[in-house]
Amino acid sequence: MFFASDNWAGAHPAINERLLRESARFASAYGSSELDRTIERRFNEIFEREVAVFFVATGTAANSLALASVARPGGVVFAHTEAHVIEDECGAPDFFSGMRMVPVDGPLGKMTPQALEAKIARYPQDAVHHGRAAAITMTQATEVGSVYTLDEIDTLSSIAKVHGLPLHMDGARFANALVALETTPAEMTWKRGVDILSFGGTKNGCWCAEAIVFFDPAMAKELPFIRKRTAQLFSKSRFIAAQFEAYLKDGLWLELAGHANTMADRVREGLAASNSARLAWPTQSNEIFAIVRKEAAAIAEEKGAKFYDWLQPRDMPETVAGDEMLIRLVSSFATSSDDVDAFLKAIT
């Protein structure tokens, strides 16, 4: 009953098998192998246009280097108050980009247009003392399990374009959001005005595979140097490419995300019928947030359930009583229906 994080899950057998095959051969290094080039072209197919792709090891690296590529002196980057770049990356985006992350409010983990406009207005381009607007980053799916609709992405993109700001998408759970919206990679990104994407694979069955995707290759001219200088150019980068080869083959990545989302739906349905737990807010991806009685949570932990207790967000719609706690549950490609049923039995 492992619901602490999708990072706790292992790697999918198909990805392990592809890594094993790759380990038995020789190939040129530093991203110059035919496999690296083949997978870069595969991203063109996935996104229905020519893109520039750069493999990195972690989501933090992907976000930090993506923002570093559009850095401006004195720049500030607008992100939701609870975004990973603000809350969970130890200042890495600030460190590598030289810019500040500025929080923007909004319910259910999503920036509102009004709040974003208000924050941008505080940083005009000639405000030397305060810094200037430089970029917007949005998380899809969000840190609280919600998903921006295509219309909402359109709206944020329109604001970015009016102010001449690049729009970055943190896609650590990109596949989960894609499946939830039943749309295509192109429709959820560049067709909506997204300029740069952090494309995550690690949370969805890969061992260690992330990519930075530029939808206008001309924007990526500095990234090769940024990646090298930040120690993210791996000599054997083909092992990241090999993971992506298996991940993207025959739609495996969407199948894995679909399974994780389905297991999350099963959890949501079970909690909705529970007497000792309830959903804290609606979610659409593979993250679930629940309010449970502390006694029930302790019993579930004694029976082997793994989950995180969670800090209450400021705009939380439900009230947590003194004998209750807020927890986060995350399903993965490796979560089984038996895992879900055992957890629901333990918690309820």
Side-chain angles (χ1 to χ4, degrees), residues 176-196:
N176 300 96
L178 198 67
V179 170
L181 290 179
E182 298 181 340
T183 189
T184 68
E187 289 292 344
M188 201 171 76
T189 55
W190 65 269
K191 289 187 177 182
R192 307 263 80 79
V194 175
D195 296 299
I196 312 171

Side-chain angles (χ1 to χ4, degrees), residues 70-149:
V70 295
R72 300 177 183 178
V76 298
V77 179
F78 304 98
H80 189 269
T81 305
E82 294 161 5
H84 207 268
V85 294
I86 290 178
E87 290 290 318
D88 299 288
E89 294 184 346
C90 197
D94 308 66
F95 178 80
F96 286 108
S97 71
M99 301 193 291
R100 286 178 290 150
M101 305 297 115
V102 172
V104 179
D105 290 334
L108 299 178
K110 297 190 282 188
M111 294 180 286
T112 65
Q114 298 80 6
L116 180 58
E117 286 279 18
K119 278 296 173 76
I120 292 174
R122 295 177 59 182
Y123 298 92
Q125 293 300 309
D126 59 353
V128 173
H129 295 289
H130 304 292
R132 55 178 172 169
I136 300 169
T137 178
M138 59 179 296
T139 312
Q140 181 74 330
T142 74
E143 291 301 311
V144 299
S146 58
V147 174
Y148 283 95
T149 67

Side-chain angles (χ1 to χ4, degrees), residues 208-223:
C208 174
E210 309 286 321
I212 307 169
V213 181
F214 290 82
F215 296 107
D216 176 4
M219 290 184 67
K221 63 181 181 179
E222 302 298 334
L223 210 286

Side-chain angles (χ1 to χ4, degrees), residues 89-334:
E89 294 184 346
C90 197
D94 308 66
F95 178 80
F96 286 108
S97 71
M99 301 193 291
R100 286 178 290 150
M101 305 297 115
V102 172
V104 179
D105 290 334
L108 299 178
K110 297 190 282 188
M111 294 180 286
T112 65
Q114 298 80 6
L116 180 58
E117 286 279 18
K119 278 296 173 76
I120 292 174
R122 295 177 59 182
Y123 298 92
Q125 293 300 309
D126 59 353
V128 173
H129 295 289
H130 304 292
R132 55 178 172 169
I136 300 169
T137 178
M138 59 179 296
T139 312
Q140 181 74 330
T142 74
E143 291 301 311
V144 299
S146 58
V147 174
Y148 283 95
T149 67
L150 298 184
D151 286 344
E152 288 171 333
I153 300 172
D154 267 330
T155 299
L156 295 186
S157 172
S158 296
I159 294 172
K161 297 300 181 285
V162 166
H163 294 280
L165 304 176
L167 177 60
H168 166 256
M169 177 180 284
D170 175 357
R173 295 187 175 94
F174 182 82
N176 300 96
L178 198 67
V179 170
L181 290 179
E182 298 181 340
T183 189
T184 68
E187 289 292 344
M188 201 171 76
T189 55
W190 65 269
K191 289 187 177 182
R192 307 263 80 79
V194 175
D195 296 299
I196 312 171
L197 167 68
S198 295
F199 182 91
T202 305
K203 294 181 186 296
N204 193 37
C206 290
W207 174 74
C208 174
E210 309 286 321
I212 307 169
V213 181
F214 290 82
F215 296 107
D216 176 4
M219 290 184 67
K221 63 181 181 179
E222 302 298 334
L223 210 286
F225 299 93
I226 294 171
R227 182 173 62 167
K228 175 64 176 178
R229 191 173 63 178
T230 54
Q232 285 293 315
L233 176 59
F234 291 91
S235 61
K236 296 182 180 180
S237 67
R238 73 182 192 276
F239 285 96
I240 297 179
Q243 293 176 73
F244 277 133
E245 182 179 56
Y247 185 64
L248 299 172
K249 185 178 181 180
D250 298 327
L252 177 64
W253 64 301
L254 300 177
E255 177 187 329
L256 299 182
H259 174 81
N261 286 8
T262 297
M263 292 299 99
D265 287 339
R266 193 180 183 103
V267 174
R268 284 185 276 262
E269 291 167 5
L271 291 175
S274 170
N275 293 320
S276 60
R278 64 189 186 280
L279 295 172
W281 56 80
T283 59
Q284 297 81 43
S285 65
N286 62 320
E287 289 186 282
I288 310 103
F289 294 81
I291 300 169
V292 301
R293 288 190 296 106
K294 292 178 180 178
E295 180 183 2
I299 292 172
E301 287 184 307
E302 289 175 2
K303 294 182 177 180
K306 303 295 183 183
F307 50 82
Y308 283 133
D309 57 331
W310 211 251
L311 292 175
Q312 299 178 35
R314 286 181 298 173
D315 57 357
M316 185 171 167
E318 291 280 332
T319 300
V320 181
D323 63 343
E324 296 178 323
M325 61 188 295
L326 175 66
I327 66 171
R328 186 190 76 163
L329 306 161
V330 189
S331 57
S332 74
F333 79 94

